[in-house]
Amino acid sequence: MKPYRRRASTLSARRTLRRRGAQPKVVALGGGMGLSASLAALRRITGDLTAVVTVADDGGSSGRLREELGVLPPGDLRKALAALCGDDDWGQTWARVIQHRFQSKGEINGHAVGNLLIVALWEQLGDPVQALDLVGRLLGAQGRVLPMSAVPLELQALVKGHDPERPDDVDTVRGQATVALTPGDVQSVHLVPNDPPAVPEAVEAVLDADWVVLGPGSWFSSVIPHLLVPQLLDALVETKARKVLSLNLAPQPGETEGFSPQRHLEVLGRHAPKLALDVVLADEAAVPDVSAREPLVDAAKRLGAAVELAPVAGPDGSAKHDPELLAAAYDRIFRMHGRIGPWR
C-alpha cells in the first residue's frame, strides 16, 4: 500500500469530469466543521452533491432557537450551505453573511444570521426541505442540503468515568454539546427518540448515489448519529453506491481523546455492524509507519474496506483538512475504486 503524493490542483479533474458528461452523484453525511470540510472539497470535483446533516445539536444559537421555537437546530445546516457557496463574489459574500453572528448585550447576541434566515423560512413555508432548497438557491449553493430527520433529536451517550471520582461507573450523558466535550470514555451513543423518521429525500439521495462519503467530524456527535436513524441506515446498507469513510486528522479532545485511527473504525462498526465500507481515507501523517498502519488496515478489512493514505491536512499544523488536498484525495478514490459509472 503506497500513499499517493500531493496534487497541485483539482482543476484538471473538474475539466475531465465535464468532458465525460454526467458527474458522479455524491452524498456526504456528517455535521459541523467536519462536514463543511468535506463539502468544500467535494464541490470542487462534482456538481451533483447532496449533504445530509445531523439535527441533534443543542448548543449555542441552534440550541436556543430549538428550545424557544421547537424547530430543528439550524446551525449545522447553515454551515453546510456556507461550505457549498461558490468562489465568486456572490457566493463568498453570502457565505460571510449567513455565518455572521450578532454581538450585543441583548437576546440576539450570538445568533447567526443564517440560523435566523433558515428558521424564518421554515415558519413561512412549513417544509424544512423546501426552505433549505430556497436558501440554497439564494446563496448559489453548489449542491443540496438536507436534514437527516425532520424532527429534532437528542443525543445520549453512555460514558465510563464521566465523573472522575467514580472512574469505573458508567453514566448517561445527554445532549450533543455535552457529549462532544465529555470527559471519560464514551462507550456508545443513541438517539431520542430511538427510531426517528428519516427525511425521504435523504434516503432517496443515498439510494441513488454513486458515492457516499461519511466523515470527517466529531465521531460520536456528528458521524455516528446518521447510523442511528433506521431508514437512513437501511439505505446505506442497501445502496449500490460505493462508500468512503474519511477519518479525522487527530483525536478530538473529549469524546475521542486518545483514540487511535483503528479505534474510530471499531466503534463505528459496533454501532452499525451490517454496514460495509469500500474505502477508508486517512491522512498519511496520522499513520506514519508500518506499526500504525497495520492495525488500521486490519480494522478497515473487517468493514470490507481498503485504506487510502493521502496528505490532506492544512499547512498551518491545525487539525483541519485542506480543501484542495482533500478534493484531490476524493477524486483519486472515485476514479481508482469506483465502478464504471456514467461520468466515466
Side-chain angles (χ1 to χ4, degrees):
M1 179 183 63
K2 296 180 179 179
Y4 50 87
R5 293 183 176 87
R6 181 185 301 252
R7 298 177 62 182
S9 172
T10 57
L11 180 59
S12 61
R14 295 197 295 270
R15 288 173 176 168
T16 301
L17 287 169
R18 293 192 189 105
R19 285 197 301 269
R20 289 170 181 161
Q23 299 181 36
K25 296 179 180 179
V26 181
V27 176
L29 294 85
M33 297 310 296
L35 178 61
S36 295
S38 200
L39 295 175
L42 289 166
R43 70 177 178 82
R44 287 165 161 79
I45 57 175
T46 182
D48 198 337
L49 178 58
T50 301
V52 179
V53 184
T54 182
V55 286
D57 190 8
D58 61 349
S61 170
S62 287
R64 291 159 60 193
L65 291 168
R66 171 179 174 166
E67 182 177 0
E68 183 174 345
L69 301 174
V71 296
L72 295 174
D76 284 352
L77 296 160
R78 181 198 81 245
K79 293 173 186 175
L81 285 163
L84 291 175
C85 285
D87 294 325
D88 58 2
D89 287 342
W90 180 273
Q92 290 305 295
T93 297
W94 274 110
R96 290 192 299 271
V97 168
I98 66 169
Q99 296 282 55
H100 175 77
R101 291 187 183 273
F102 294 104
Q103 301 294 324
S104 76
K105 297 180 179 179
E107 293 185 1
I108 200 171
N109 181 59
H111 276 305
V113 171
N115 288 357
L116 301 177
L117 174 62
I118 290 169
V119 172
L121 284 170
W122 282 342
E123 292 191 346
Q124 288 287 314
L125 300 178
D127 183 333
V129 171
Q130 184 183 356
L132 289 166
D133 285 344
L134 184 58
V135 177
R137 290 199 298 273
L138 172 65
L139 273 53
Q142 299 175 20
R144 192 181 194 192
V145 173
L146 299 169
M148 70 178 185
S149 178
V151 298
L153 304 173
E154 180 183 78
L155 185 71
Q156 296 186 1
L158 296 178
V159 183
K160 183 178 181 180
H162 175 68
D163 184 345
E165 296 184 358
R166 298 182 290 110
D168 295 324
D169 289 358
V170 176
D171 296 312
T172 298
V173 175
R174 295 175 172 83
Q176 184 182 42
T178 304
V179 171
L181 298 174
T182 183
D185 185 5
V186 178
Q187 305 289 294
S188 64
V189 290
H190 59 276
L191 295 174
V192 178
N194 62 8
D195 58 347
V199 167
E201 292 86 349
V203 172
E204 292 168 7
V206 169
L207 292 174
D208 194 42
D210 296 307
W211 275 94
V212 173
V213 177
L214 187 62
S218 299
W219 216 243
F220 287 106
S221 51
S222 292
V223 176
I224 289 178
H226 292 80
L227 310 180
L228 306 179
V229 179
Q231 293 168 320
L232 193 54
L233 177 59
D234 288 345
L236 288 166
V237 171
E238 295 170 10
T239 184
K240 301 299 184 184
R242 290 282 174 109
K243 284 157 279 189
V244 56
L245 177 69
S246 186
L247 293 176
N248 295 329
L249 299 174
Q252 180 178 341
E255 65 178 74
T256 56
E257 187 77 47
F259 272 36
S260 63
Q262 62 268 20
R263 189 175 177 191
H264 285 77
L265 302 188
E266 291 164 358
V267 299
L268 185 140
R270 289 202 301 269
H271 284 83
K274 295 182 180 180
L275 180 65
L277 302 172
D278 294 280
V279 181
V280 172
L281 171 62
D283 182 63
E284 61 185 22
V287 280
D289 52 42
V290 173
S291 63
R293 292 177 187 178
E294 287 183 350
L296 176 60
V297 170
D298 290 341
K301 283 181 179 178
R302 289 193 287 273
L303 298 176
V307 172
E308 287 287 349
L309 301 180
V312 293
D316 61 358
S318 66
K320 294 181 180 178
H321 288 79
D322 179 275
E324 287 289 343
L325 295 177
L326 187 58
Y330 284 144
D331 176 57
R332 182 181 186 277
I333 289 171
F334 292 172
R335 290 186 294 106
M336 300 302 294
H337 293 271
R339 300 180 179 92
I340 300 298
W343 71 93
R344 300 189 66 184

